[in-house]
Amino acid sequence: MNEAIPQLDSFDEAALEDAFATLTKEVHEAATTEDAETFRLHWLGRKQGRLKLVSEAWLKSAPPEARKPLGIRFNQLKQQIEQTLEAPATVKAVSQGIDITLPGTLRAPGVPHPLLKTMHEIVAVFHHLGYSTNLGPQVETDFYNFEALNFPPNHPARDTQDTLVIAKQQSRPARDRLLMRTHTSPVQIRTMIDQAPPIRIVIPGKVHRNDAADATHSPIFHQVEGLCVDTNITFSDLKGTLDHAMKALFGSGVKTRFFPSFFPFTEPSADVQISCIFCNGKGCRKCKHSGWIELLGCGMVDPAVFAAVDEQRTAQGHQPAYDPKKITGFAFGMGVERIAMIQHGISDIGHFYSGDMRFLEQFA
Ligand code: DAH
């Protein structure tokens, strides 16, 4: 800032050309080393600005006929300085040691989260079979989550789904009380109330349970529900559909078997097991040496569910449409986390929610 004022011995054209070339060079150098504000003060400061000091010194010692060309040149220089400032990126970026001619920071494009990827895969398998998709609310009423699915109030089957309830619901009738849905099955009920058969629907979504988190449990997780209702739907249809879906998800070599089970809303009910994909059914640590992995629940829709649906349809002014003598159906529900963990050999469910890029980048 305090450079000496350059001396001008002569004011002829060549001398001026020379003197201003030196000043212009100085301006360029300053622009590469100073930030914008320092640069502005250095050159344009009202009292101590270099432009002002130099022009005063030179104008004072100039013969009268040199004043005009000097003035013109100072104005040009001033314009140059102002233009440099108007492109502050030039001054500042260069002053920070950034070469603005280099390519910028590349941001990697985002990819779907592994859980969403698996959820979409499951849904796509059923889309190819002609199913459509439905969604429902995560905050649900007791009626849709339990009662209509044949879990009566105080029935012990409710204990299998430890429920997170919404506060301050005591003044409401039991069936209207709000809770976080514990499964995607209530959307079966919502769909059937809105729609007469035939129905072929899959329902992906988030569910909540009051479970402690450990390697295989999380209080928030994801399910895909399925529902097929029509005339002449049999358990064979259920078996064929799910056997196809498991082969589509885990490879055509995978075998399925159906074990008797219990769910209040299906009768009969079954658990579906697939042959262990880690040991090809020979027995290993992953399948607890049984050769089989339990994967999902399913069954034939219980007539009590159809009855609850028709009661509600009537109450809402729709025609009843689910006479169990004419209409049958099957339903199934699977955990997305569990399927993704088996697909990728992941042993801790917590990885899905940790946001750890070292985990997530493996699915990019
Ligand atoms: N909703 C059950 C659960 O969360 C899973 C399930 C089982 C869904 C059987 C179904 C079914 O639709 O038929 O444990």
Side-chain angles (χ1 to χ4, degrees), residues 161 183 185 188 209 223 225-226 263 265-266 297-299 331-333:
Q161 302 192 359
H183 51 177
S185 306
Q188 288 185 24
R209 288 192 197 176
Q223 290 186 334
E225 186 84 13
F263 301 100
F265 41 94
T266 44
C298 64
F332 55 87

Side-chain angles (χ1 to χ4, degrees), residues 308-340:
V309 165
D310 262 351
E311 192 185 305
Q312 200 59 29
R313 283 177 64 88
T314 311
Q316 293 185 13
H318 302 298
Q319 288 291 326
Y322 290 87
D323 177 354
K325 289 194 200 76
K326 295 185 194 141
I327 296 292
T328 52
F330 64 77
F332 55 87
M334 56 189 102
V336 178
E337 277 79 351
R338 184 158 168 73
I339 290 179

